[in-house]
Each structure stands twice: as C-alpha cells, then as structure tokens.
C-alpha cells in the first residue's frame, strides 16, 4: 500500500475507533487529524466533506457485518436456518458495535454522491443484503407451501420484499430497544436459572420469524 493509501486507511481507522468509543457525533475531520498526528488539512485530501468521511467509516462496518453474516450461515442447510443465523448475527453486531451500527443506517448522514472508484454509492451498500433477505423469505414461503401441499404463490400474502422489510424492521427494533434497556423492562425479570441475555433475545428473534413466516412445523 502506498504512503497516501496508508494514510487514508489510518484516518479511517481513527474514525472507526471514535465511532465505536464515542459515537458518530464525535467524528470530525479536525479531531481525526489530531488523533492521527497529521495536519488539520490532511484529511481533506481524501474526504472533502464530513459526509464522505462518515461514509468511508460506515463502509468498514458493512464489510465487517458482511463477513459476520458469512460466518454465521456456514453450516446452515435451510433458508429458515439461514434467516435465523443472519438475524442473530445482526442483533449481536448491533449490541457489540453499537456506534457503528447506528451510523451504518443513518443514510441522512452518509454521502450518496457517485464515488470516484468502481464502488457503489454507500446508500446502495445495503441493497445486496436486503436482496438476499428477500430471496430467503421467498424460499421459506415456497418450502412451507410445498410441505403443506398448498398453492403457491399466495395472492393474499404481501410480496417477499415487503415481508423482508417488515422482518428487518422488527430485528432492528429488537436491537435498538434491547440496547436502550426497554425490552428488558417490558419483559420483566427472567425465570430463575434462565440466561437473561442471549436466550431471551433468541426467543424474541424466533417470535419475529414465526410472526412473518409462520412457525416451524415438524
């Protein structure tokens, strides 16, 4: 990597660390320059606007989340199993890397202008993930109807993309409300001997999948 490329990546590294420790509101070109030990004008060579800087940081988050998704679905053999694995990875990522997670979906803060490289606009970085989610929803429906020997497609059901969007919204809500402590308050104390964290979140994820796709039948 060239010196210029190396400096650009170092500035992004500093920005990622700031987002994770202090949130996206703390990220500014001058603060990143100070922490990176370079002049205040140095970041402007790579990030002419604050949105461009935040977009470069958020792209790292999408890369990280994509890698976690790949690891999560390894070994799954059904579309429903893959959806459950992706949902758990999504909620887990939100709680582990909260600042980055909140930035990644703030498309009002991110740069949507065409990029000088062959990379897509950052606002479109979520589309392949959403497309895969929609595909999995369609496959789950198809397999369920085949198992029940009913006609497919079901004209009364919303399109797979609508169901996928609702499913994504529910998972995002679980992540945010759990991070704020609201769900724990609503659910009350866990039963004796039960894990108050992962187990309860997993039960919520299962309930969301059941609500949108129907319960798993033997």
């Amino acid at each position: 990597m060239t010196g210029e490329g190396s400096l650009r990546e170092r500035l992004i590294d500093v920005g990622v660390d700031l987002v994770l420790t202090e949130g996206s509101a703390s990220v500014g070109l001058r603060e990143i320059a100070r922490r990176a030990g370079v002049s205040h004008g140095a970041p402007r060579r790579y990030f002419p606007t604050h949105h461009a800087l935040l977009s470069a940081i958020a792209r790292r988050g999408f890369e990280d989340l994509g890698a976690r998704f790949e690891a999560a679905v390894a070994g799954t053999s059904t579309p429903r199993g893959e959806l459950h694995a992706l949902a758990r990875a999504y909620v887990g990522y939100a709680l582990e890397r909260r600042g980055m997670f909140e930035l990644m979906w703030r498309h009002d803060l991110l740069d949507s202008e065409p990029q000088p490289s062959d990379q897509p606009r950052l606002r479109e970085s979520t589309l392949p993930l959403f497309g895969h989610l929609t595909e999995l929803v369609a496959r789950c429906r198809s397999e369920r109807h085949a198992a029940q020997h009913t006609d497919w497609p079901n004209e009364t059901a919303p399109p797979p993309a609508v169901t996928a969007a609702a499913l994504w919204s529910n998972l995002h809500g679980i992540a945010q409300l759990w991070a704020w402590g609201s769900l724990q308050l609503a659910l009350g104390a866990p039963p004796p001997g039960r894990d108050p964290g992962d187990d309860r979140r997993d039960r919520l994820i299962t309930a969301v999948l059941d609500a949108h796709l129907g319960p798993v039948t033997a």
Side-chain angles (χ1 to χ4, degrees):
M1 182 180 292
T2 65
E4 288 290 303
S6 186
L7 176 56
R8 182 181 187 278
E9 292 304 306
R10 181 154 61 95
L11 293 170
I12 297 174
D13 288 341
V14 173
V16 169
D17 184 64
L18 266 173
V19 167
L20 292 176
T21 57
E22 300 181 28
S24 59
S26 66
V27 178
L29 293 171
R30 290 177 64 89
E31 178 60 15
I32 283 183
R34 185 186 70 80
R35 295 196 179 204
V38 297
S39 68
H40 289 161
R44 293 284 184 186
R45 297 204 300 268
Y46 313 103
F47 313 111
T49 66
H50 188 226
H51 284 188
L53 171 62
L54 291 176
S55 297
I57 294 168
R59 194 179 297 281
R60 287 277 191 88
F62 284 117
E63 293 170 356
D64 184 14
L65 182 59
R68 293 184 185 219
F69 279 170
E70 288 186 16
V73 302
T76 58
S77 57
T78 65
R80 181 61 173 260
E82 187 169 340
L83 272 174
H84 199 123
L86 291 176
R88 292 188 68 184
Y90 186 82
V91 173
Y93 183 85
L95 299 177
E96 179 185 338
R97 300 177 76 81
R98 185 173 175 184
M100 180 65 79
F101 179 81
E102 291 177 354
L103 171 63
M104 288 162 60
W105 313 111
R106 286 294 307 273
H107 286 173
D108 57 320
L109 296 179
L110 303 179
D111 195 348
S112 63
E113 295 302 315
Q115 302 298 307
S117 67
D118 59 354
Q119 292 181 327
R121 293 182 301 176
L122 187 62
R123 287 189 179 184
E124 298 171 357
S125 295
T126 57
L127 294 184
L129 296 177
F130 182 71
H132 185 53
L133 181 64
T134 301
E135 177 190 359
L136 288 172
V137 166
R139 288 173 57 196
C140 284
R141 284 183 177 178
S142 180
E143 291 188 2
R144 183 176 181 83
H145 282 264
Q148 295 176 343
H149 305 289
T150 56
D151 292 335
W152 175 256
N154 181 355
E155 294 182 357
T156 64
V162 173
T163 298
L167 176 60
W168 177 22
S169 299
N170 281 175
L171 294 174
H172 200 88
I174 289 175
Q176 288 285 34
L177 292 172
W178 193 276
W180 294 332
S182 302
L183 282 176
Q184 298 91 314
L185 179 64
L187 293 173
R194 299 300 295 269
D195 182 356
D198 291 346
D199 181 68
R200 301 184 92 193
R201 290 194 299 272
D202 197 53
R203 289 161 72 90
L204 287 170
I205 289 170
T206 298
V208 167
L209 293 176
D210 287 349
H212 290 292
L213 303 172
V216 176
T217 57

